[in-house]
Amino acid sequence: WAEAGGYGDVDASDDGAAATGMSFAMDKEKNQLTVTPIKSLDGTVTLPGSKSLSNRCLLLAALSEGNTRVENLLESDDIRYMLEALDTLKVPVERDADDKTT
């Protein structure tokens, strides 16, 4: 799987993996890639608007520690329901006054 996915020969000693603090191992017999969690992630990801991606992004942000900024959520009833659910669960969500999804 990893080789077919463009990962080539996956090796936990790979310099790219070491630079990110991430380690992984490929079990070729089981065709399984195991990635150990990293302690933090910092960056920007821009994706096209999608109900599924917007909901997953909100859920991952709710489960993560620290602050997460989410922009350009898809405007839909499902997203509003997710935001209401996060409010019900007392997940702190700071909303932009100009955001249509609130």
Side-chain angles (χ1 to χ4, degrees), residues 22 25 29 36 43 50-51 58 61-62 65 67-69 80 83 87 93-94 101-102:
M22 176 177 61
E29 190 172 302
T36 58
S50 150
K51 180 174 61 174
L58 288 171
E65 292 182 16
N67 295 326
T68 303
R69 181 180 180 96
R80 281 188 282 278
L83 288 167
D87 287 339
V93 177
E94 184 178 316
T101 59
T102 57

Side-chain angles (χ1 to χ4, degrees), residues 1-3 7-12 22-28 30-36:
W1 172 86
E3 289 176 16
Y7 298 100
D9 287 329
V10 177
D11 179 4
M22 176 177 61
S23 66
F24 45 86
M26 178 67 187
D27 184 335
K28 292 184 181 187
K30 292 182 180 179
N31 197 28
Q32 182 177 21
L33 179 66
T34 302
V35 180
T36 58

Side-chain angles (χ1 to χ4, degrees), residues 19-96:
T20 64
M22 176 177 61
S23 66
F24 45 86
M26 178 67 187
D27 184 335
K28 292 184 181 187
E29 190 172 302
K30 292 182 180 179
N31 197 28
Q32 182 177 21
L33 179 66
T34 302
V35 180
T36 58
I38 57 175
K39 293 186 185 214
S40 69
L41 182 66
D42 185 21
T44 301
V45 177
T46 303
L47 300 170
S50 150
K51 180 174 61 174
S52 295
L53 289 175
S54 292
N55 270 330
R56 288 179 184 142
C57 186
L58 288 171
L59 184 58
L60 288 172
L63 294 171
S64 67
E65 292 182 16
N67 295 326
T68 303
R69 181 180 180 96
V70 179
E71 297 177 342
N72 300 320
L73 286 174
L74 184 69
E75 182 184 353
S76 77
D77 287 339
D78 286 352
I79 303 307
R80 281 188 282 278
Y81 296 145
M82 175 63 88
L83 288 167
E84 289 172 13
L86 294 175
D87 287 339
T88 300
L89 293 170
K90 308 253 187 274
V91 175
V93 177
E94 184 178 316
R95 293 178 172 85
D96 184 337

